[in-house]
Amino acid sequence: MKKYFYVIKIQYLGYRFHGWQKQPSLKTLHLMVDRTFNYILEGKYFKTLTSGRTDAMVSAESAAFELFLKEPIEDDIAFLELFNYNLPQDIKALSIKEVDAEFNIIQHSKIKEYLYLFTYGEKCHPFCAPIMTTILDDLDIDIMKQGAKLFEGENYLWSYCYKPTENGVYTRHILQCELVENHIYTANYFPEKTYLLRVKGKGFMRNQIRLMMGTLIDLGKGKLTLKDIEDSLVPDSKIKMNYIAPASGLILNAVEFE
């Protein structure tokens, strides 16, 4: 039987979800997406496969998954509207595009961009909690900016993988890593100044961005030095970075397929 393949891009607030992957007795994004398809497709065959799993409480401006069907979608716009009408309010479908059978959303070459939103030095309005991490201690933002740049290029990132194994591939290439003042997300209850870490690359390991951010926070607190980060990036380094920054500040900003 002929199958039909579609890539759907979505955005979501991850604060109340236990990540993407389905888990017994837990509310996950994949569960809600599949539950919605089961309803609008009235029990007809479908399958969904994501381009990459996000952890609990992580949000996305633009994530992607592949939808497999045995019947074609006749009207993309109407289908997307119906999908959005039945999704919960913290998930929104952005676009739908038909692809061929050769396309594989997991193996197809892609570039991902993550943002990590944070502020420091004061207790924030509770409404900030779903998308922003608050560090109550003072931070040296200038040295954190220098530290972020050390991650750019090809480095050995064993220190930035949660529970690394003996046979993992830890030499990775980061296309961009910069810490800048945030002008993307604004709200009248945000502090006067907020910041974001922007990281762009082809592949990321489990908790890699959060470990990088945690390391930069410890750098900003004076617990680590730039030399400590440099030493952690050399081939075969086994320096342990212990601080994993909170998940709710992390946002998958874009997934680009090449």
Side-chain angles (χ1 to χ4, degrees):
M1 180 179 290
K2 182 175 173 63
K3 286 187 178 181
Y4 300 86
F5 311 88
Y6 301 87
V7 170
I8 296 179
K9 290 196 173 182
I10 60 170
Q11 58 188 188
Y12 51 81
L13 180 65
Y15 198 62
R16 73 183 183 103
F17 295 104
H18 290 265
W20 174 269
Q21 185 177 1
K22 289 180 183 177
Q23 301 178 59
S25 305
L26 293 176
K27 185 174 289 185
T28 68
L29 288 146
H30 197 184
L31 173 69
M32 300 308 295
V33 165
D34 277 9
R35 184 179 290 175
T36 304
F37 278 132
N38 192 56
Y39 177 73
I40 67 174
L41 293 171
E42 299 178 333
K44 295 176 184 176
Y45 168 86
F46 74 91
K47 179 183 174 182
T48 53
L49 188 64
T50 184
S51 64
R53 297 174 294 181
T54 48
D55 292 336
M57 301 176 74
V58 174
S59 298
E61 274 285 0
S62 182
F65 66 87
E66 192 169 0
L67 173 65
F68 303 81
L69 298 174
K70 290 182 178 178
E71 296 180 10
I73 295 172
E74 301 296 341
D75 186 333
D76 288 359
I77 295 175
F79 184 85
L80 205 64
E81 288 178 352
L82 180 64
F83 186 40
N84 272 321
Y85 187 85
N86 289 281
L87 281 170
Q89 65 177 2
D90 41 10
I91 307 174
K92 180 183 178 181
L94 301 172
S95 64
I96 183 169
K97 177 184 178 182
E98 187 171 6
V99 292
D100 59 34
E102 300 301 315
F103 182 86
N104 183 303
I105 198 161
I106 294 178
Q107 297 177 358
H108 201 88
S109 180
K110 53 189 173 287
I111 295 173
K112 292 183 178 180
E113 181 181 75
Y114 283 92
L115 305 177
Y116 193 97
L117 187 62
F118 72 99
T119 189
Y120 74 96
E122 62 178 297
K123 185 75 173 181
C124 291
H125 194 294
F127 290 1
C128 296
I131 62 166
M132 183 187 301
T133 292
T134 303
I135 306 300
L136 295 179
D137 303 296
D138 283 334
L139 296 176
D140 184 337
I141 295 295
D142 288 337
I143 199 168
M144 290 173 70
K145 289 180 178 180
Q146 296 175 54
K149 284 296 177 185
L150 295 177
F151 290 107
E152 284 189 346
E154 186 173 288
N155 287 295
Y156 187 75
L157 298 175
W158 183 94
S159 301
Y160 303 93
C161 178
Y162 179 69
K163 293 185 178 179
T165 61
E166 290 298 321
N167 56 357
V169 178
Y170 301 111
T171 299
R172 303 286 180 114
H173 189 87
I174 294 178
L175 299 171
Q176 182 182 24
C177 186
E178 63 174 359
L179 195 153
V180 296
E181 194 168 333
N182 165 48
H183 297 294
I184 297 175
Y185 298 98
T186 60
N188 59 9
Y189 51 82
F190 274 17
E192 183 178 346
K193 276 195 176 183
T194 60
Y195 301 87
L196 60 84
L197 178 72
R198 184 193 311 274
V199 185
K200 194 171 185 179
K202 283 196 171 184
F204 296 98
M205 300 173 291
R206 187 179 180 191
N207 286 345
Q208 180 182 328
I209 308 296
R210 291 168 61 194
L211 276 162
M212 290 167 59
M213 187 68 236
T215 297
L216 292 176
I217 291 169
D218 279 346
L219 175 68
K221 289 180 178 180
K223 293 183 177 181
L224 294 173
T225 65
L226 291 172
K227 179 70 162 51
D228 291 327
I229 297 178
E230 289 172 347
D231 290 344
S232 74
L233 299 173
V234 300
D236 299 321
S237 171
K238 293 296 186 288
I239 294 173
K240 184 71 173 175
M241 295 301 183
N242 295 311
Y243 182 33
I244 301 175
S248 57
L250 185 58
I251 300 165
L252 174 57
N253 193 50
V255 179
E256 304 168 11
F257 294 100
E258 295 182 318

